[in-house]
Amino acid sequence: ASATVAIPKEHHRFVIGKNGEKLQDLELKTATKIQIPRPDDPSNQIKITGTKEGIEKARHEVLLISAEQQDKRAVERLEVEKAFHPFIAGPYNRLVGEIMQETGTRINIPPPSVNRTEIVFTGEKEQLAQAVARIKKIYEEKKKKTTTIAVEVKKSQHKYVIGPKGNSLQEILERTGVSVEIPPSDSISETVILRGEPEKLGQALTEVYAKANSFTVSSVAAPSWLHRFIIGKKGQNLAKITQQMPKV
């Protein structure tokens, strides 16, 4: 006789065990043949072949292994004001990366573009609790210590404050511990919000203005017939100018 039992695909490896020892022991103990789908097979069905009693025993053992893993893994959701997410992630996501590595817990912080406040933790119950406690501590400390100021920066200069892939914002956060919040690109608002410890806000504000004013745009009038000579053959003249002046 044969039967199938479905358990989450990620639990299959626990049925197999190290070097297949768990699976061999299970087959021996229940006098059955247990077939587990290959890792590249999306099926979650485990096939058990043997006597009726053996199949029942094996099925029970497989479900027990899966239940144990389910109990060990926990999911917790923590509400954290969106404004404090950068402090929890840390510059270049290093802080949250360290916490994940040290606790073995997966921590999902919504990206800035997603309007959600919930941080999701997944992992072993005990280690997950440690990760949640550390995040809560950071959150509570920042809520007590931070002050907010709002400044006006021309919309056209916002991209310079943000920098390529948000690098300028991360630099400011790393150097000053201050988070800089820029309005969405589809918003007409020119208000930039700085959030951090009072004694650090001045330095951060200086950096924001420096980055905002680090680029200027100038236009030179030239007749249209001259454009192709400025560009040059296959853009050679423009390429030469940008090579000689790398900041242009």
Side-chain angles (χ1 to χ4, degrees), residues 228-244:
R228 64 191 180 95
F229 296 106
I230 295 170
I231 296 167
K233 189 178 180 181
K234 294 183 179 178
Q236 285 178 349
N237 290 348
L238 285 181
K240 192 175 179 182
I241 292 168
T242 53
Q243 281 172 4
Q244 291 173 345

Side-chain angles (χ1 to χ4, degrees), residues 14-196:
F14 298 106
V15 177
I16 297 167
K18 190 177 180 180
N19 299 322
E21 289 173 6
K22 183 83 173 177
L23 181 61
Q24 288 173 15
D25 182 58
L26 197 55
E27 287 180 331
L28 195 63
K29 195 162 66 174
T30 61
T32 59
K33 176 66 179 172
I34 301 170
Q35 292 174 279
I36 296 176
R38 292 169 58 85
D40 56 359
D41 184 342
S43 173
N44 63 355
Q45 299 280 342
I46 292 175
K47 186 178 180 182
I48 305 168
T49 306
T51 64
K52 187 180 177 183
E53 293 78 15
I55 289 171
E56 283 180 0
K57 280 183 186 177
R59 187 174 184 278
H60 173 74
E61 290 293 331
V62 167
L63 289 172
L64 196 60
I65 291 167
S66 180
E68 283 173 358
Q69 295 308 316
Q70 202 72 46
D71 287 343
K72 284 181 184 175
R73 301 291 292 178
V75 177
E76 187 162 336
R77 291 168 170 79
L78 181 67
E79 288 290 337
V80 174
E81 291 172 64
K82 188 81 175 170
F84 290 89
H85 286 191
F87 300 117
I88 289 164
Y92 304 99
N93 289 318
R94 282 201 291 263
L95 180 56
V96 73
E98 285 171 14
I99 296 171
M100 285 197 286
Q101 193 171 8
E102 289 168 15
T103 63
T105 300
R106 173 81 181 158
I107 303 171
N108 187 286
I109 300 175
S113 57
V114 176
N115 190 26
R116 286 179 60 191
T117 57
E118 193 178 70
I119 295 176
V120 182
F121 301 77
T122 311
E124 306 289 329
K125 284 183 178 178
E126 195 174 319
Q127 292 171 309
L128 182 146
Q130 291 173 15
V132 171
R134 286 177 67 176
I135 297 291
K136 278 183 177 176
K137 187 179 179 184
I138 294 166
Y139 180 36
E140 293 303 325
E141 284 178 355
K142 288 297 177 185
K143 278 175 76 175
K144 287 176 188 173
K145 293 180 180 178
T146 56
T147 302
T148 300
I149 59 170
V151 295
E152 297 300 308
V153 176
K154 286 182 183 178
K155 191 75 179 174
S156 60
Q157 294 175 311
H158 286 189
K159 60 183 176 181
Y160 305 127
V161 179
I162 296 168
K165 296 181 180 178
N167 274 346
S168 294
L169 295 179
Q170 295 300 321
E171 282 174 15
I172 295 170
L173 182 60
E174 184 172 44
R175 283 201 287 260
T176 68
V178 172
S179 164
V180 179
E181 191 177 310
I182 307 286
S185 56
D186 57 357
S187 165
I188 60 168
S189 172
E190 295 193 330
T191 304
V192 172
I193 296 170
L194 284 75
R195 189 174 282 103

